[in-house]
Amino acid sequence: MTEKEGLHFGQDPSAPSYSDDTISTLSPMEHIRIRPGMYIGKLGDGTAKDDGIYVLLKEVVDNAIDEYTMGFGRVIYITIEGDRKVTVRDHGRGIPQASLEKAVGTMNTGAKYDSEVFKKVVGLNGVGLKAVNALSDRTEVTSYRDGKGRRVVFERGVLVEATELFDAPDEHDGTLVSFLPDETIFRNYRYQQEFCEEMLRMYAYLQPGLSLHLNGKRFVSKDGLLDLLEDNMTSDPLYPIIHFTDKDIEVALTHSTQYGEEYYSFVNGQNTIHGGTHLSAFKESVARVIKEFFGKNFEYNDIRNGISAAISIRIQEPLFESQTKTKLGSREMEEGGLSIQKFVGDFLKSHLDDYLHIHSETSEALLKKIQDNERERKNLAGISKKAKERVKKASIFNKKLRDCTMHYNDPKAQDPERTALFITEGLSASGSITQSRDAEYQAVFSLRGKPLNSHGLSKAVVYENEEFNLLQAALNIEDSIDDLRYNRVIVATDADVDGMHIRLLIMTFFLQFFPDLIRQNHVFILQTPLFRVRDKKDQETIYCYDESERDVAMQKLGPGAHVTRFKGLGEITPDEFKHFIGEDMRLDPVMVRKEDNVKELLEFYMGKNTPDRQDFIVENLEVDEQLEL
C-alpha cells in the first residue's frame, strides 16, 4: 500500500467532499428554522401538551403576562382561528415603536435584560417572540402607544412590511401579535382547545385579578392555587385544602384517596410542568415537616402518597434547564442569596407546622391517611418481593415485551420524547407493530386476551395478576412515575367492540393505580385506518380513518377505485403499519378533568351497576340510529 493509498484507507470515494464550500454561516433566524428543537423542544402536531405549537402560544402570552406583572393591563384576549392562526392582544405598554423590527426579528434583543424594567418575570432571553416569528408562515405585530400605532409583518422570519406611525386614537395601549405556525415545520398541526384552556387557567391561578379570554371564554381566579386544586382534583379531598401565601411564595395542599402524587409547580407565573429545584424542595420539606409534627418515623412515600399540591415562587432571573422553561435549575432566590431549599423549607416549617397544631381535625385526617398508606405498603411488601422474582424469571423468556434500545430517562437518548411503548393484544397485531416500529425508540408489550377489570380491587392485584405485574415492570413505575421508561404509553387495539373493551380495561388499570400517567399526559390511543382505497390500477393508495375520508378518497381516485376494510390490526401488513406509527402517527391523548370524577366514572362504566349502564347503552344506541336515519 502506498502512502497516498494509506491516507484514504477506509474512506468511501462517493462520500461528499469536505471543503471550503461546505462551511456556511446561518443567520440567527435561519438557525431557529433549521434547529427548532433547540428553542421550542419537540415539534409535534398538537396532540401532546408540550408540542411546539403550544410553546409558540406560551411565548407570546408570557410577554403579555409580564406586562401585567409589572402593573400594566388587566386583560388579555387570545383568538385561535380554525385551530391554527393565533392572535394575542394585551393592554400593556406596547413595544417601543422605533425598535419594533428589532424586538420581533433580531435575536437577543429586548428590554428584559434590564431587571429594573422587568423584575421576576419569565421571558429573560430575548428569544421567545423571535422563535415564534421564525417558525411561523406569517407574523404580524402591531404596537399601540399614546394614540399611535405601528405594524411590522414577517414571513418565515423575513421582514416583508413595516409601516410608518399611524393614528389609532381608539386603541388601548398594548401589543397585538398574530401568527400562523409554519405547516412545513409543524406538519398536520392543530391547536387542541382543551390544552389551550388548561394553559390559560394556569396563568389565571398565578395572576389573581387578571382576566384572560380565549375565543370569548373568560378565565379568572380569585384565590390562586386554592382555586387550582379545587378545579383540578379528580377526587374529593380528605380534609380542607391548606393554603398559604406570602411574598414570593404560595402553596396549597391536601390529600385524597387516589394513589400517587399530584403536583403543580410554577416560577414567576410559568407552569414548570417538569418541576425543578423548587418542587424538589417542596416535596422534601412538606414530608419532613409532617413527619416532625407527628413525631413518628414515617417514610416520606407514606406521607406523600395521595397528596395533591401546588407551589408557586418568584425569583430574580430564574435559570431554566431549557429554552421551553418547563424545569427550574436555579438553586438560589437571587444571585448570592438565600437557597431555594431553605426558603421553601423555612416557609413550610413555620406555616404548615402552625396550621396542623391549630386545626386538629385536619391533622387527624392526615394522620389516618398516612397510617393507611403505611399499612397497605407493609401488606404489599411480601407480595411485591415474590412478584419481582416472578418478573425476573419471566423476563428471561418474556415474549410479551419487545423492548427498544433507548429509554425516556436514558442520558444517551438524543430525543427521549420519542420513546414509546405500544400496548397491543394478540400475537398478529403485536407482530405487525414489532416489524414496523423504530426499534431504537419504540417498544411493544403484548397482552394475552382481555386484562382483568381492576375496578374496586386493592393494589395487591397489580402484583398478583401476571399481565399487570409484567406491564408495571415494563413501564418501571412501581416505585415512582419519575422512573417511567417511555414518554408515550400508546394503547393500540382493534377498532371493534372487543378492542374498545380492552381499552377501557387498560384505562381502568391506569386510573385506579397509576393516575399520574394520565394526569401528566403520557397515555394515548393509537388511531389506525379503517379503510384502504386504491385506484383501478393499484398505482395510488389512500388510507382513511373514517367513512368521510373514504368517500373523499373514492371521488379522488375515480371510477374503478376499490376499498379494503381493515377489521383488525393484524390484517395490516408490516410494510403498511410503518406509515401509521411514524412521524405522522395519529394519537388521541387520554385526559382526565375535574368533571370526570374518577371514582364515579369508574363505578358507572366498570362497576356492578349493570342495569344503569345497560339503560345508558340502549339510550345512546337509539340516538345513533336516529342520527343515521
Side-chain angles (χ1 to χ4, degrees):
M1 180 183 295
T2 66
E3 181 180 357
K4 185 175 182 179
E5 289 173 330
L7 288 173
H8 295 276
F9 178 75
Q11 292 186 1
D12 182 356
S14 64
S17 63
Y18 177 50
S19 63
D20 290 327
D21 293 336
T22 64
I23 305 298
S24 59
T25 301
L26 299 175
S27 71
M29 301 298 271
E30 289 174 328
H31 189 267
I32 295 175
R33 289 186 61 81
I34 290 178
R35 297 286 186 269
M38 294 178 60
Y39 300 87
I40 63 165
K42 64 178 182 176
L43 300 181
D45 60 3
T47 56
K49 293 180 183 178
D50 54 352
D51 281 348
I53 59 170
Y54 300 109
V55 178
L56 301 186
L57 172 60
K58 182 188 72 63
E59 291 289 355
V60 178
V61 176
D62 277 349
N63 290 337
I65 295 289
D66 288 345
E67 285 294 306
Y68 172 79
T69 301
M70 297 305 297
F72 301 93
R74 299 178 62 84
V75 62
I76 301 171
Y77 297 97
I78 301 102
T79 303
I80 302 179
E81 300 176 37
D83 296 332
R84 287 179 173 247
K85 183 180 178 181
V86 177
T87 301
V88 179
R89 173 70 159 101
D90 68 50
H91 287 177
R93 290 165 289 185
I95 298 173
Q97 291 161 329
S99 302
L100 194 55
E101 291 95 333
K102 291 192 297 181
V104 179
T106 303
M107 286 287 285
N108 303 317
T109 301
K112 295 178 183 179
Y113 298 108
D114 187 339
S115 60
E116 293 304 311
V117 179
F118 287 90
K119 292 182 178 180
K120 297 181 180 178
V121 296
V122 173
L124 297 172
N125 299 323
V127 174
L129 187 55
K130 289 76 171 178
V132 174
N133 185 6
L135 299 176
S136 295
D137 194 55
R138 183 179 177 89
T139 305
E140 299 182 23
V141 180
T142 306
S143 172
Y144 298 101
R145 292 170 70 105
D146 302 323
K148 298 289 185 180
R150 186 163 185 264
R151 181 175 64 254
V152 294
V153 181
F154 291 78
E155 292 181 355
R156 300 185 178 184
V158 178
L159 181 68
V160 296
E161 180 185 344
T163 71
E164 298 295 329
L165 284 176
F166 56 83
D167 291 331
D170 298 327
E171 288 287 352
H172 197 294
D173 284 2
T175 304
L176 173 66
V177 179
S178 176
F179 66 93
L180 180 68
D182 188 346
E183 192 172 8
T184 64
I185 295 174
F186 307 98
R187 292 191 293 177
N188 300 317
Y189 78 89
R190 70 182 184 89
Y191 282 96
Q192 301 265 358
Q193 185 78 6
E194 289 194 38
F195 290 165
C196 297
E197 289 184 2
E198 180 181 344
M199 179 190 300
L200 297 185
R201 284 194 191 95
M202 293 301 171
Y203 278 121
Y205 297 133
L206 272 295
Q207 310 291 344
L210 173 65
S211 179
L212 300 110
H213 299 254
L214 173 62
N215 291 347
K217 189 171 182 177
R218 182 169 177 255
F219 301 89
V220 65
S221 172
K222 177 184 177 183
D223 293 319
L225 298 187
L226 175 63
D227 291 340
L228 185 155
L229 288 190
E230 287 184 341
D231 292 347
N232 288 276
M233 286 183 64
T234 53
S235 60
D236 295 331
L238 295 175
Y239 53 85
I241 296 171
I242 301 171
H243 183 218
F244 306 127
T245 183
D246 204 343
K247 181 183 178 183
D248 294 335
I249 187 168
E250 180 183 4
V251 301
L253 67 109
T254 187
H255 281 76
S256 72
T257 56
Q258 283 193 184
Y259 288 99
E261 303 172 34
E262 180 179 6
Y263 297 103
Y264 303 88
S265 67
F266 306 86
V267 175
N268 293 7
Q270 165 65 33
N271 186 7
T272 46
I273 58 175
H274 293 127
T277 51
H278 61 315
L279 181 57
S280 297
F282 175 82
K283 292 167 69 174
E284 196 276 334
S285 298
V286 75
R288 186 181 66 251
V289 170
I290 292 173
K291 179 178 179 178
E292 291 176 354
F293 171 81
F294 289 116
K296 297 180 180 293
N297 193 28
F298 290 132
E299 291 195 7
Y300 280 6
N301 285 343
D302 293 334
I303 295 173
R304 294 196 297 245
N305 186 27
I307 194 172
S308 293
I311 177 172
S312 170
I313 65 171
R314 290 194 174 275
I315 65 177
Q316 193 80 29
E317 299 188 7
L319 298 175
F320 296 95
E321 293 193 3
S322 69
Q323 171 60 25
T324 54
K325 307 183 184 82
T326 58
K327 187 174 184 179
L328 181 67
S330 301
R331 297 191 176 278
E332 297 177 340
M333 295 297 291
E334 57 186 50
E335 189 71 24
L338 187 67
S339 73
I340 290 175
Q341 176 72 44
K342 183 168 175 52
F343 175 72
V344 174
D346 288 350
F347 179 80
L348 287 171
K349 175 61 179 175
S350 171
H351 290 73
L352 181 56
D353 186 77
D354 288 349
Y355 186 94
L356 293 176
H357 274 99
I358 296 170
H359 298 83
S360 58
E361 290 185 0
T362 292
S363 58
E364 289 171 5
L366 177 57
L367 178 60
K368 183 178 184 304
K369 173 61 176 174
I370 297 170
Q371 290 172 334
D372 288 344
N373 289 340
E374 184 180 50
R375 190 177 304 111
E376 181 175 25
R377 175 179 55 80
K378 290 179 177 179
N379 289 339
L380 289 173
I383 300 174
S384 173
K385 185 177 180 180
K386 294 177 182 178
K388 287 181 179 179
E389 291 174 357
R390 292 204 311 273
V391 167
K392 188 175 181 180
K393 290 179 180 178
S395 64
I396 299 174
F397 307 102
N398 187 15
K399 295 182 179 179
K400 302 182 73 63
L401 175 65
R402 296 166 176 86
D403 208 354
C404 53
T405 57
M406 294 293 177
H407 296 106
Y408 192 34
N409 291 311
D410 190 342
K412 296 182 296 183
Q414 294 185 353
D415 191 1
E417 305 293 335
R418 288 172 53 198
T419 56
L421 176 71
F422 292 94
I423 302 175
T424 188
E425 187 271 328
L427 294 176
S428 57
S430 63
S432 292
I433 294 181
T434 300
Q435 294 180 58
S436 310
R437 66 177 174 142
D438 176 353
E440 192 173 13
Y441 285 94
Q442 295 177 331
V444 182
F445 185 90
S446 177
L447 294 169
R448 184 181 67 240
K450 292 183 180 179
L452 178 71
N453 181 0
S454 59
H455 172 64
L457 302 179
S458 72
K459 199 169 186 179
V461 73
V462 178
Y463 300 99
E464 294 169 343
N465 180 275
E466 182 179 352
E467 297 284 307
F468 290 157
N469 191 21
L470 290 172
L471 178 56
Q472 173 186 250
L475 293 170
N476 196 38
I477 54 176
E478 177 188 4
D479 297 323
S480 171
I481 193 177
D482 294 339
D483 301 323
L484 180 66
R485 299 178 79 218
Y486 314 95
N487 179 45
R488 292 182 173 185
V489 181
I490 302 171
V491 181
T493 59
D494 294 341
D496 57 15
V497 174
D498 285 338
M500 293 293 289
H501 192 200
I502 292 171
R503 288 185 195 177
L504 283 174
L505 292 168
I506 296 173
M507 292 304 106
T508 300
F509 170 68
F510 287 145
L511 285 169
Q512 184 89 352
F513 302 117
F514 303 102
D516 290 349
L517 276 179
I518 293 175
R519 285 196 291 252
Q520 295 185 24
N521 197 226
H522 289 295
V523 182
F524 299 83
I525 302 296
L526 175 68
Q527 290 188 38
T528 51
L530 293 175
F531 306 101
R532 178 179 60 212
V533 183
R534 286 178 172 164
D535 65 2
K536 184 176 181 180
K537 298 182 179 180
D538 288 343
Q539 292 180 338
E540 185 175 356
T541 301
I542 300 176
Y543 296 98
C544 308
Y545 290 76
D546 56 36
E547 286 81 358
S548 61
E549 290 187 13
R550 176 200 60 192
D551 295 342
V552 170
M554 292 284 287
Q555 291 181 353
K556 179 180 178 181
L557 298 182
H562 52 282
V563 179
T564 300
R565 171 70 160 88
F566 295 121
K567 296 180 180 179
L569 302 185
E571 295 181 348
I572 305 176
T573 66
D575 286 341
E576 288 179 307
F577 221 124
K578 64 184 179 184
H579 299 297
F580 315 133
I581 59 174
E583 292 185 4
D584 296 328
M585 178 166 49
R586 292 197 191 185
L587 297 175
D588 289 329
V590 178
M591 295 179 288
V592 61
R593 300 160 297 182
K594 170 70 174 181
E595 52 267 34
D596 301 327
N597 187 297
V598 173
K599 184 178 180 180
E600 295 178 3
L601 191 73
L602 292 178
E603 181 62 35
F604 181 82
Y605 287 104
M606 308 306 292
K608 297 180 180 180
N609 59 331
T610 306
D612 292 341
R613 189 163 58 245
Q614 186 175 12
D615 291 343
F616 172 80
I617 294 171
V618 171
E619 290 172 5
N620 282 273
L621 281 174
E622 290 174 351
V623 170
D624 289 344
E625 289 170 0
Q626 292 171 3
L627 288 174
E628 289 179 4
L629 293 173

